[in-house]
Amino acid sequence: MSDLVKMEGITDLTKIGAELISQGAEAKTFKLNYFGMECIIKERFVKTYRHPTLDSKISNKRILQEIRSLNKCKKNGIDVPGLLFVDIVQTRIMMEFVNGITVKQFLYNNCENNYQNTQTPEIIRICREIGQQVCKIHDLNLIHGDLTTSNILLRTSTNNSTVFIDFGLSYTSTLAEDKAVDLYVLERAFISTHPNSESLFNEILQSYKDSSKNSPSVINRLDQVRLRGRKKLAFG
Amino acid sequence: MKSYDIPLYPGNSLTIILYQNVSNTDEIMSKLLKGELEYSIINCKAIFDHRQLLFAATKVLSIQHSSKLSTHNVHSELIYLLSPTTNMKDSIKKFGLQADDKQFYIAIFNSTSEKLNDIKSLVKGDQVEEQYNEQSKTIENTSYFSRDTAIENYSLKEYKDIAQCDDSKLKSYIFNSMSMKGLLK
Ligand SMILES: Nc1ncnc2c1ncn2[C@@H]1O[C@H](COP(=O)(O)OP(=O)(O)OP(=O)(O)O)[C@@H](O)[C@H]1O
Ligand SMILES: [Mg+2]
């Protein structure tokens, strides 16, 4: 019975037709058609300069954080990719492929480097939706941990509605401080990737503010976080 | 009947057969309980399409590959992995064969013609010619899938918009719940 199945697994996903679409610092992301379904496989890899068991422990922790946060969002009606298959040992997450583009790409395509003069109703709607969804995530006491314009996708089939991805650095917290730092990360990402986009970020903040009774304390905190400035992010 | 290769675990396949109008379920059940059958018999009410079985099969192979099965063999493991909970009894009860079932899926890892003949001579019922759906790119269980059973078996009430969600969302929630098996906090 034990020799009924063959034990070998695919280690190099490109051998079964997967396409490498992104290589981050700690993970490779592939696109693959699996049984007729477009999928994303995100695979964390072992960093050779770290201790191997320590490294796989860190990878395991990340992958658990990532899937638990995705699951929590999914259950609470925040649009995130649905999970299809998780392999903790091989540090692989298979999830639904979202057909669309990143917010980053969308802004590049639509703003031509001048974010002040190109506030189309569509861009404003997207910013307001981002604020509202981030607020919903925070109301679940979930901190995304890496809010950037590449980690928010716009789903084509639902007229560019937002889909949040990349929860590998997420964690749970009830603290206004942690939520404020999350917003601050997003603000820095916005302004460094999209110069002069302050007014767009203000749209995000305004709708964040309008979306929950918990928002005022977070926004107050954000002012303090900004004052402490980059130090906290760089060294904290 | 349809056979699929499992791309992530080359050399392995899963063959899926849907039976209906089965008249000797008790006989099959007693063989099953004695551990005499080398294939999975699956309650088809909570199975949306073949893909659901294929993702579970992928997971069986991944567990076989890198750790240890929780059940006796790959075929019982397939049933166990269709369930979102780690409660063994409950999983087998909800996703395995039940005494009054007249229709069910049979799934076989790496089937042989010998095994298929055994199945043919044991099961007194009709093999269904299932239709491939061009749009969803899989074979859907159009006759026996029950939304209510799926909602119950996968605890889908935990998803906020379950009451008004469409079938493709429902399916995505099923996959999501299967994936989180044993990994919730
Ligand atoms: N479910 C998905 N559907 C479509 N595209 C996706 C999906 N998940 C990831 N991507 C694409 O792959 C890229 C990388 O994914 P992700 O951000 O999760 O990994 P990462 O390793 O953290 O990447 P990075 O280090 O670049 O942030 C995303 O920016 C996005 O373009
Ligand atoms: Mg990313």
Side-chain angles (χ1 to χ4, degrees):
Chain A
M1 199 68 192
S2 58
D3 56 3
L4 182 63
V5 297
K6 299 187 184 58
M7 303 281 270
E8 225 108 316
I10 288 285
T11 43
D12 178 1
L13 294 170
T14 59
K15 288 207 174 115
I16 54 167
E19 174 197 352
L20 181 67
I21 59 167
S22 154
Q23 164 123 36
E26 306 198 332
K28 285 181 184 170
T29 307
F30 298 88
K31 187 180 171 191
L32 173 67
N33 187 302
Y34 204 65
F35 299 117
M37 193 183 203
E38 297 292 352
C39 304
I40 287 285
I41 300 187
K42 189 166 168 181
E43 196 171 62
R44 295 192 175 277
F45 44 83
V46 174
K47 283 197 185 147
T48 44
Y49 60 83
R50 283 203 306 234
H51 189 274
T53 38
L54 175 69
D55 194 78
S56 71
K57 270 188 191 144
I58 291 171
S59 297
N60 283 355
K61 206 175 144 224
R62 287 275 170 78
I63 197 174
L64 279 174
Q65 278 164 340
E66 185 155 14
I67 60 169
R68 283 172 181 162
S69 298
L70 286 169
N71 184 47
K72 197 169 185 182
C73 287
K74 190 55 114 187
K75 287 188 173 170
N76 286 283
I78 295 157
D79 196 357
V80 294
L83 293 167
L84 295 169
F85 165 63
V86 177
D87 186 338
I88 297 288
V89 179
Q90 300 225 63
T91 59
R92 260 182 204 156
I93 301 179
M94 200 189 278
M95 63 186 121
E96 292 162 356
F97 171 75
V98 176
N99 190 20
I101 58 173
T102 61
V103 167
K104 180 178 178 175
Q105 194 59 48
F106 183 86
L107 291 178
Y108 282 155
N109 294 351
N110 290 276
C111 294
E112 293 171 13
N113 278 334
N114 190 340
Y115 295 95
Q116 261 159 342
N117 302 332
T118 47
Q119 293 194 20
T120 65
E122 174 72 340
I123 291 173
I124 292 179
R125 186 207 46 84
I126 289 167
C127 288
R128 302 206 117 249
E129 192 178 317
I130 292 172
Q132 186 197 22
Q133 294 301 98
V134 171
C135 188
K136 268 170 101 178
I137 293 172
H138 286 176
D139 273 350
L140 297 171
N141 294 321
L142 198 61
I143 313 301
H144 182 284
D146 193 16
L147 283 175
T148 64
T149 49
S150 340
N151 288 337
I152 307 171
L153 306 178
L154 299 172
R155 197 190 282 277
T156 308
S157 64
T158 48
N159 303 314
N160 285 339
S161 66
T162 56
V163 185
F164 285 74
I165 60 165
D166 200 359
F167 284 77
L169 294 172
S170 65
Y171 60 99
T172 48
S173 166
T174 55
L175 301 178
E177 165 76 17
D178 292 333
K179 297 173 186 178
V181 171
D182 218 19
L183 284 177
Y184 184 66
V185 170
L186 181 61
E187 179 171 39
R188 298 305 310 167
F190 241 85
I191 288 160
S192 62
T193 337
H194 312 286
N196 303 316
S197 65
E198 285 83 357
S199 58
L200 294 183
F201 188 73
N202 283 337
E203 288 292 339
I204 294 178
L205 271 193
Q206 188 58 48
S207 87
Y208 184 95
K209 233 183 251 175
D210 297 341
S211 300
S212 164
K213 61 178 189 344
N214 301 324
S215 297
S217 65
V218 178
I219 302 283
N220 282 341
R221 204 68 196 202
L222 178 60
D223 288 331
Q224 296 173 40
V225 174
R226 280 169 173 156
L227 278 177
R228 290 203 309 272
R230 306 180 81 129
K231 278 184 204 155
K232 158 104 189 156
L233 277 179
F235 309 111
Chain B
M1 179 167 78
K2 176 129 174 74
S3 288
Y4 301 85
D5 291 333
I6 311 289
L8 281 176
Y9 294 90
N12 294 297
S13 68
L14 191 76
T15 301
I16 301 172
I17 311 171
L18 178 61
Y19 268 102
Q20 64 185 11
N21 307 322
V22 177
S23 58
N24 65 333
T25 304
D26 27 348
E27 185 190 350
I28 299 167
M29 194 83 170
S30 71
K31 284 195 184 263
L32 193 67
L33 293 175
K34 282 186 217 143
E36 289 173 9
L37 306 183
E38 288 193 354
Y39 37 86
S40 320
I41 306 186
I42 300 153
N43 180 331
C44 52
K45 287 201 278 294
I47 306 303
F48 204 102
D49 61 20
H50 283 194
R51 213 179 264 146
Q52 191 177 339
L53 301 175
L54 293 165
F55 273 95
T58 302
K59 188 141 183 186
V60 170
L61 296 170
S62 91
I63 292 176
Q64 174 89 307
H65 174 255
S66 47
S67 50
K68 201 172 157 286
L69 301 183
S70 302
T71 63
H72 294 306
N73 57 58
V74 287
H75 289 111
S76 47
E77 194 79 4
L78 181 71
I79 294 173
Y80 177 61
L81 290 179
L82 284 167
S83 160
T85 77
T86 51
N87 181 328
M88 192 77 70
K89 253 190 164 168
D90 186 63
S91 301
I92 302 297
K93 191 172 151 240
K94 286 187 170 139
F95 292 89
L97 183 67
Q98 293 170 5
D100 56 353
D101 283 344
K102 290 189 165 36
Q103 57 275 330
F104 46 74
Y105 277 112
I106 291 187
I108 316 128
F109 278 101
N110 303 332
S111 76
T112 57
S113 52
E114 193 190 355
K115 224 181 232 186
L116 291 175
N117 284 335
D118 286 351
I119 293 171
K120 239 185 188 163
S121 56
L122 171 66
V123 182
K124 309 236 161 0
D126 309 324
Q127 274 197 27
V128 181
E129 277 301 322
E130 294 184 278
Q131 293 300 313
Y132 180 82
N133 184 314
E134 283 296 339
Q135 209 186 344
S136 60
K137 298 197 163 51
T138 183
I139 294 177
E140 293 183 342
N141 176 11
T142 44
S143 316
Y144 300 111
F145 176 74
S146 150
R147 191 179 168 103
D148 290 343
T149 306
I151 291 175
E152 161 79 22
N153 287 8
Y154 284 102
S155 306
L156 298 183
K157 292 230 167 74
E158 290 171 18
Y159 293 77
K160 258 188 171 171
D161 64 346
I162 192 66
Q164 64 270 10
C165 83
D166 62 14
D167 280 355
S168 76
K169 242 187 187 172
L170 182 84
K171 198 164 152 179
S172 149
Y173 292 167
I174 289 175
F175 278 130
N176 199 71
S177 299
M178 278 170 63
S179 304
M180 288 305 293
K181 182 191 180 90
L183 300 172
L184 294 162
K185 231 171 278 193

